[in-house]
């Protein structure tokens, strides 16, 4: 059995130095230097684009640049200027003092990802806006092969205004790289809650309920070919289920959104994998499944 360089790199990440090979063939020894550049986008089946009033650079596979459509990525300085342009810049405390936003109506009104991001930046529907530094909307390409959905921003994400930039994010990027994917080529990353829960606690049901319309509208606008739900909260929120993660893994799911039927693969959250590396092998299988599904296989 032949392993590609990407597979070897990922197995190395999993701590597998000598993969077991069925059929008695000699094991392939993974060289420590088998580090691999992230590469080509998988061929994804064609899907008609969402009508976008202010489409700009939002074509298939276009990378959402802070400069091009700043609201969509909302990172660091881009976010601050985006927020300033969207309406008046408000401090978290000012936002929290106002009447709570109707997130269902507000999300529905956003015609573009840019508008959605500006709305989220002004949201006060749950208490999370009081303590967050920045909202973290999403990052990556439009119409991605895979939309990764995590739980919520952590400390680093809150500071930078971007999803998955801390330790979990590094592992996530390595995992994506092992299947030839990245946020610059064919992946979009987002979370179920857009503001950091203080102290990295779990998001509360009321916070998830308030933020869910933003995620669902984001899915409509991003139009992914598949969704990778990382961790129990992401899986439960997307699928409206209450089951534990282990019960949801390795099963076929989909979400119906705006006439699209988007397959969902449930897997472990990278933060969990950092604590329990033994489960990386199962996560590798989930990723392979997501990759095949995103190619329509
Ligand atoms: N964990 C998540 O679920 N999302 C992030 O953006 C970072 C860590």
């Amino acid at each position: 059995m032949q392993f590609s360089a990407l597979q070897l790199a990922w197995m190395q990440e999993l701590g597998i130095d000598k993969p077991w090979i069925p059929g008695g063939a000699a094991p392939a020894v993974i060289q420590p230097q088998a580090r691999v550049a992230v590469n080509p986008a998988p061929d994804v089946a064609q899907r008609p684009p969402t009508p976008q009033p202010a489409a700009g650079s939002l074509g298939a596979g276009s990378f959402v640049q802070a400069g091009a459509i700043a609201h969509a990525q909302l990172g660091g300085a881009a976010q601050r200027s985006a927020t300033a342009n969207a309406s008046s810049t408000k401090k978290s405390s000012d936002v929290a003092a106002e009447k709570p936003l109707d997130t269902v109506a507000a999300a529905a009104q956003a015609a573009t990802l840019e508008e959605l991001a500006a709305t989220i930046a002004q949201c006060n529907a749950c208490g999370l806006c009081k303590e967050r530094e920045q909202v973290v909307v999403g990052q990556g390409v439009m119409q991605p092969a895979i939309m990764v959905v995590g739980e919520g921003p952590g400390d680093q994400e809150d500071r930078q205004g971007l999803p998955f930039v801390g330790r979990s994010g590094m592992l996530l990027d390595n995992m994506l790289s092992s299947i030839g994917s990245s946020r610059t080529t064919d992946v979009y990353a987002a979370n179920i809650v857009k503001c950091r829960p203080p102290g990295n606690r779990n998001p509360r049901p009321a916070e998830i309920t308030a933020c869910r319309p933003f995620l669902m509208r984001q899915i409509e606008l991003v139009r992914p070919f598949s969704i990778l739900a990382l961790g129990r909260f992401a899986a439960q929120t997307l699928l409206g289920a209450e089951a534990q993660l282990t019960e949801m893994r390795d099963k076929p799911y989909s979400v119906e959104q705006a006439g699209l039927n988007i397959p969902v693969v449930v897997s472990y959250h990278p933060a969990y994998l950092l604590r329990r590396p033994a489960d990386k092998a199962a996560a590798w299988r989930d990723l392979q499944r997501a990759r095949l599904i995103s190619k329509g296989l």
Side-chain angles (χ1 to χ4, degrees):
M1 181 172 178
Q2 295 289 325
F3 292 98
S4 72
L6 282 168
Q7 287 171 319
L8 290 171
W10 174 237
M11 285 189 279
Q12 189 181 21
E13 176 64 46
L14 300 183
I16 304 169
D17 289 335
K18 292 186 175 124
W20 177 78
I21 300 171
V29 178
I30 299 170
Q31 300 302 326
Q33 67 271 27
R35 285 269 159 235
V36 192
V38 181
N39 260 324
D43 332 311
V44 285
Q46 288 302 305
R47 167 176 292 185
T50 308
Q52 300 256 1
S57 62
L58 299 185
S62 61
F63 181 53
V64 179
Q65 295 283 359
I69 44 171
H71 298 293
Q73 182 166 323
L74 277 185
Q79 174 181 232
R80 284 186 286 280
S81 70
T83 308
N85 296 339
S87 56
S88 58
T89 307
K90 292 178 185 168
K91 285 191 284 191
S92 305
S93 51
D94 296 340
V95 171
E98 294 170 3
K99 184 168 166 269
L101 182 73
D102 175 348
T103 55
V104 174
Q109 277 166 20
T112 63
L113 200 50
E114 199 175 6
E115 284 180 23
L116 183 68
T119 302
I120 295 171
Q122 302 295 310
C123 180
N124 65 348
C126 73
L128 291 183
C129 61
K130 290 186 204 153
E131 292 185 54
R132 61 141 167 84
E133 210 38 63
Q134 305 190 55
V135 290
V136 177
V137 179
Q139 181 191 32
V141 303
M142 303 299 287
Q143 295 183 45
I146 301 175
M147 177 165 171
V148 173
V149 178
E151 189 176 304
D155 177 53
Q156 285 301 317
E157 290 77 17
D158 184 49
R159 287 168 198 237
Q160 297 185 39
L162 294 170
F164 286 107
V165 288
R167 280 186 72 216
S168 299
M170 281 170 63
L171 176 57
L172 175 65
D173 284 341
N174 285 342
M175 291 161 64
L176 292 171
S177 155
S178 76
I179 56 164
S181 291
S182 76
R183 295 185 234 184
T184 52
T185 55
D186 60 354
V187 171
Y188 184 92
N191 286 305
I192 53 167
V193 294
K194 312 301 187 194
C195 297
R196 181 190 182 208
N200 291 350
R201 65 162 168 76
N202 292 335
R204 295 183 176 138
E207 294 157 355
I208 293 174
T209 303
C211 220
R212 191 176 185 275
F214 293 141
L215 174 65
M216 299 319 281
R217 183 69 184 133
Q218 195 171 19
I219 292 170
E220 280 174 14
L221 294 167
V222 170
R223 295 178 76 80
F225 284 80
S226 69
I227 294 176
L228 182 63
L230 297 179
R232 173 168 63 98
F233 290 100
Q236 290 180 342
T237 303
L238 282 165
L239 303 173
E242 294 201 349
Q244 293 302 305
L245 186 99
T246 44
E247 294 168 52
M248 288 189 273
R249 262 199 67 249
D250 220 5
K251 297 201 175 82
Y253 295 103
S254 61
V255 289
E256 294 277 346
Q257 194 66 13
L260 296 175
N261 185 285
I262 306 168
V264 177
V265 172
V266 173
S267 190
Y268 294 112
H269 192 283
Y272 167 84
L273 293 174
L274 287 169
R275 296 191 303 273
R276 287 284 304 268
D279 283 329
K280 285 181 178 177
W284 160 247
R285 291 195 294 277
D286 298 335
L287 267 184
Q288 290 293 342
R289 204 153 62 81
R291 188 179 69 87
L292 292 175
I293 288 172
S294 72
K295 290 182 160 195
L297 299 173

